[in-house]
Amino acid sequence: MQWIIENYLLLLIPFTSGIVGWLTNFLAVKMMFYPIEFVGIRPIFGWQGLIPMKRREMAEIEVELVLGKLLSVQELADRIEADKLTLSIQRRLKQVLRKIVNQVMQEAAPQVWASMPVQAKNLVFQRVEADIPNVVHKMVDDFKYNVDEIIDIKELVVNHLVNEPELINEIFLKAGEKEFPFIEKSGLYFGFLFGLPTMLFWYFYQAWWILPLGGLAVGYLTNWIAIKIIFEPKHPIKIFGFTLQGMFLKRQKEVSEVYSKIIEEKLINSKNITDIVLHGSGSAQLLEIIELHVNDAIERYVAIAQPYFALGVGSEKYYRMKQLAAEQIFASSDKYLLYAHEYANNALKVGDDLCARMQLLTPEEFEGVLRPAYQADEWKLIVVGAILGMIAGFMQLSLF
């Protein structure tokens, strides 16, 4: 008992190392995700979470390793049925088309439109509305045929994750909801174990550098071992009746369900797909499809209503009318496609497909879901842990 009292500071070394191991791992995990925006004085003095800082690169890796391989834009588009899409947007589309027809005629053929009685205008509206299912069906068919030019899954994912750094944090945090807490807690256990040899060295040889070096080793090794345990071994290995496999890889089924749910609800959904279709790099191709079918519809309406309509308004105004109609239908797309989101999300089944296919990935492929969060800059986390451990070692030294 007397020896314990005299050497209580010595006996505190393993416990201090455990606290240092936990603290360095805790800070390392937090520094991966926070702060979301750079805090400090650029370019040297300050910090930004590694994942928010490299979110574009992270998003591109996620597409390359997981989403781009498992989701087919063509397959998703083929699930949209023109008849059901028409039913979901028809009521709102009729309202939008009435306004567009009125505006286009007032601008392109004001005299002709003003001279038409109300009954004649209503006939025009009714003719346009009756043709909605036919035109939508043709547009959907052409959209499916050209979907790879209109929708870029990489552009969709990268743009949203770059603009919403909180979302990429959420994806990684929820996918690794058991691994990140393990990293923090493991620092306590491993830190205590690594503190035992430090205690023995200090007992027999009290050189000033023992404790700082021991702290550095604790900070370095606790981070390094924790990351290794998460991803190694990739394939199950049986040792003395126990099955060993990387923590994250062992949870493939559970992680697939969580990951695919987030992707479906917050990333690859009808609203975001519509946004990239209307405002992304492929929007010009969509406008061409709309122009093609709007021009065809107007030609048919004019042919039925009055063969000499084009001559009456003049060829220049007639072509301007067709151009205006196509442009306004495209510009107003948000107003009526909004009503298709519920139908489209149910039809696309992004979450179900992604989950089923993720569960079939090999361990090497599945690692790509979470590994990018570590791989690019894991050395920084390990080095930061080592430096913090060394600082704690110097603080311990001041007690002796």
Side-chain angles (χ1 to χ4, degrees):
M1 180 63 69
Q2 184 67 27
W3 184 89
I4 294 175
I5 295 173
E6 291 175 355
N7 295 278
Y8 76 94
L9 287 177
L10 178 71
L11 296 174
L12 284 177
I13 290 177
F15 296 97
T16 305
S17 295
I19 294 171
V20 169
W22 171 81
L23 181 61
T24 55
N25 284 18
F26 173 81
L27 290 176
V29 170
K30 297 305 176 188
M31 290 170 73
M32 287 176 65
F33 298 99
Y34 304 104
I36 289 175
E37 300 297 337
F38 185 87
V39 175
I41 303 172
R42 293 183 183 274
I44 300 173
F45 301 103
W47 188 264
Q48 181 181 11
L50 296 177
I51 288 176
M53 180 176 65
K54 293 199 167 186
R55 55 187 180 269
R56 177 175 293 278
E57 181 183 335
M58 295 286 184
E60 290 174 351
I61 292 172
E62 284 295 298
V63 174
E64 181 182 345
L65 296 182
V66 185
L67 299 176
K69 290 183 177 180
L70 301 183
L71 294 177
S72 163
V73 173
Q74 185 64 62
E75 185 178 354
L76 294 177
D78 286 340
R79 291 177 181 168
I80 300 297
E81 297 180 34
D83 294 339
K84 293 181 179 179
L85 177 64
T86 303
L87 284 175
S88 64
I89 65 173
Q90 193 165 20
R91 183 177 177 183
R92 181 60 176 139
L93 182 55
K94 285 180 180 180
Q95 297 170 344
V96 171
L97 286 177
R98 282 199 170 219
K99 183 178 179 180
I100 290 174
V101 169
N102 195 48
Q103 289 177 341
V104 168
M105 291 300 294
Q106 284 178 351
E107 183 169 341
Q111 293 179 340
V112 173
W113 190 244
S115 64
M116 288 178 68
V118 174
Q119 294 86 347
K121 289 180 180 178
N122 285 336
L123 287 174
V124 172
F125 293 141
Q126 290 170 13
R127 178 70 185 91
V128 171
E129 291 169 3
D131 202 28
I132 286 176
N134 175 50
V135 176
V136 170
H137 204 292
K138 290 179 179 178
M139 285 187 182
V140 170
D141 286 345
D142 276 357
F143 174 81
K144 290 179 180 179
Y145 185 79
N146 298 280
V147 70
D148 286 323
E149 297 179 17
I150 298 172
I151 300 178
D152 183 343
I153 198 84
K154 182 176 181 179
E155 180 184 14
L156 187 158
V157 172
V158 172
N159 284 354
H160 275 278
L161 294 183
V162 168
N163 294 328
E164 301 176 49
E166 298 87 354
L167 180 55
I168 195 167
N169 270 6
E170 182 181 353
I171 290 172
F172 283 122
L173 283 170
K174 286 194 174 179
E177 62 185 354
K178 292 188 178 178
E179 285 69 30
F180 292 119
F182 167 78
I183 289 177
E184 296 173 10
K185 293 176 183 177
S186 68
L188 182 65
Y189 312 138
F190 293 128
F192 179 84
L193 292 175
F194 292 135
L196 293 174
T198 305
M199 179 183 70
L200 292 175
F201 274 114
W202 181 257
Y203 182 72
F204 291 107
Y205 185 64
Q206 296 184 355
W208 68 268
W209 48 267
I210 294 281
L211 294 180
L213 183 62
L216 185 146
V218 168
Y220 180 92
L221 291 173
T222 51
N223 276 346
W224 183 81
I225 291 175
I227 292 174
K228 286 298 177 184
I229 289 175
I230 288 175
F231 296 107
E232 301 289 343
K234 289 185 174 59
H235 296 272
I237 297 174
K238 287 198 173 184
I239 300 177
F240 302 116
F242 293 97
T243 301
L244 300 179
Q245 187 181 16
M247 280 184 63
F248 180 71
L249 304 176
K250 193 184 294 184
R251 294 199 310 120
Q252 184 165 348
K253 183 176 184 297
E254 180 186 345
V255 173
S256 298
E257 293 170 356
V258 173
Y259 182 88
S260 57
K261 184 179 180 182
I262 298 173
I263 296 299
E264 180 180 49
E265 290 180 354
K266 300 193 175 181
L267 193 57
I268 305 180
N269 53 43
S270 175
K271 180 180 179 297
N272 291 346
I273 291 173
T274 300
D275 181 69
I276 205 71
V277 164
L278 298 178
H279 309 293
S281 58
S283 59
Q285 284 86 339
L286 179 64
L287 179 58
E288 287 180 9
I289 292 174
I290 292 175
E291 286 177 340
L292 173 66
H293 292 287
V294 168
N295 288 346
D296 174 67
I298 291 174
E299 294 284 354
R300 288 186 285 106
Y301 303 156
V302 170
I304 293 172
Q306 172 54 262
Y308 303 106
F309 178 83
L311 294 175
V313 300
S315 58
E316 185 176 339
K317 287 187 176 181
Y318 179 58
Y319 289 119
R320 176 61 180 156
M321 180 183 70
K322 293 196 288 185
Q323 182 184 11
L324 276 173
E327 289 175 352
Q328 290 201 26
I329 289 173
F330 177 78
S332 303
S333 297
D334 283 331
K335 296 177 181 177
Y336 52 86
L337 289 179
L338 170 69
Y339 293 84
H341 290 335
E342 183 177 354
Y343 158 69
N345 283 329
N346 291 332
L348 294 175
K349 298 178 181 177
V350 171
D352 293 343
D353 273 6
L354 184 59
C355 180
R357 291 170 186 176
M358 284 180 69
Q359 291 175 355
L360 296 176
L361 291 174
T362 65
E364 288 80 6
E365 292 169 327
F366 186 71
E367 184 184 28
V369 175
L370 191 62
R371 187 64 171 173
Y374 298 94
Q375 208 160 27
D377 289 293
E378 70 180 37
W379 67 270
K380 289 184 182 178
L381 301 176
I382 294 171
V383 168
V384 167
I387 293 171
L388 291 174
M390 186 172 64
I391 292 171
F394 278 112
M395 292 173 65
Q396 275 185 297
L397 185 62
S398 66
L399 299 175
F400 285 92

